[in-house]
Amino acid sequence: MSTSPAPRRIGRPPVTSRAQILAAARRIIDDDGWERLTVRRLAQALGVGAPTLYHHVRDREELLILLINQHVDETLAVSLDGPPRERIIAAATTMRSSLADWPWAAEVLTSDGFLGELGDSARGLVEAIVGGAVEAGCAPDEAVHLFRDIWYLTVGEILVRARPRRAPATAPADPGTPSRYFGDIDSRAFPALAAVGGRWPELAAQDTYGTAVAALVDAAIGAAKATATAR
């Protein structure tokens, strides 16, 4: 006596791995931005109920952190050796390079509490900056302040550059339209800006991040040494 085969299940297979969830979440962010990512929408994209996802992630915030940590783990293959100053600058540059491809991640990490939930790869960069500053002569609170300053510089630079420009910096100006910058500014009232003039977009587009980080590091280390000498 033959038995009938079991009926085949129709539809998408159930989600069983966190990797599937993160891949689908990343597609939503790439298509519509991180603000549009919700557990409900992710469940719809995967063809499952929201309760299924809650077996893998606690909430939307944890989902974002998991995505960021995954990205950081994939992009932070760097050796941080050498003197303290060079380690700090290398760590900052690596941090910026990692987040530059994912500017939304930099925006998420500006929210309270997110920075403390980063994984070991990202914490290694924070340790390199804070530890390098302490080794160079900064007090622990001064080292944290240096990291904060570098972090603000990094996030601000990434977010500003990620915003779409209204027109390319090299686009010729319409002769009948006033300059959006300083090409037609009153040179008597604003002599410095008039000297820059229409070159502002070109100059603003130049990558000066490394120089700015080095200046922050040198200023912090120099101030710490001056304080120690004065004691």
Side-chain angles (χ1 to χ4, degrees), residues 13-228:
V15 175
T16 56
S17 74
R18 180 171 286 183
Q20 290 174 283
I21 295 173
L22 295 183
R26 184 167 180 171
R27 286 193 295 270
I28 292 174
I29 292 175
D30 289 343
D31 292 342
D32 300 316
W34 71 273
E35 300 92 339
R36 303 295 300 275
L37 175 65
T38 65
V39 173
R40 182 181 296 276
R41 181 172 181 186
L42 180 58
Q44 292 174 345
L46 290 164
V48 300
T52 300
L53 295 187
Y54 285 120
H55 289 294
H56 298 270
V57 293
R58 181 180 65 251
D59 51 26
R60 175 176 178 269
E61 284 67 30
E62 184 183 24
L63 184 59
L64 290 170
I65 285 296
L66 288 171
L67 281 167
I68 292 172
N69 281 331
Q70 181 188 62
H71 175 71
V72 169
D73 287 341
E74 294 171 352
T75 57
L76 291 190
V78 62
S79 176
L80 299 174
D81 298 320
R85 177 184 182 275
E86 281 62 40
R87 293 206 309 271
I88 296 170
I89 294 173
T93 303
T94 301
M95 180 169 61
R96 181 240 202 168
S97 298
S98 177
L99 292 176
D101 292 334
W102 266 22
W104 69 266
E107 186 173 355
V108 169
L109 291 172
T110 61
S111 302
D112 290 341
F114 275 105
L115 195 59
E117 297 188 44
L118 293 176
D120 287 347
S121 294
R123 289 175 181 174
L125 292 182
V126 180
E127 172 66 25
I129 294 173
V130 175
V134 170
E135 188 176 338
C138 294
D141 55 341
E142 294 170 332
V144 172
H145 293 161
L146 175 59
F147 172 79
R148 178 200 61 191
D149 293 342
I150 291 174
W151 175 244
Y152 288 174
L153 170 67
T154 304
V155 171
E157 202 251 8
I158 288 172
L159 295 183
V160 168
R161 291 187 180 277
R163 294 189 180 279
R165 299 182 183 275
R166 288 184 291 176
T170 56
D174 185 341
T177 304
S179 172
R180 291 203 308 269
Y181 298 96
F182 307 114
D184 54 2
I185 200 169
D186 184 346
S187 61
R188 291 172 297 180
F190 308 99
L193 296 182
V196 174
R199 294 180 59 232
W200 188 281
E202 171 195 346
L203 296 173
Q206 293 175 1
D207 186 354
T208 59
Y209 177 83
T211 302
V213 168
L216 283 175
V217 174
D218 290 341
I221 293 175
K225 289 181 178 178
T227 300

Side-chain angles (χ1 to χ4, degrees), residues 4-14:
S4 301
R8 299 181 60 183
R9 300 180 66 177
I10 300 175
R12 298 180 182 180

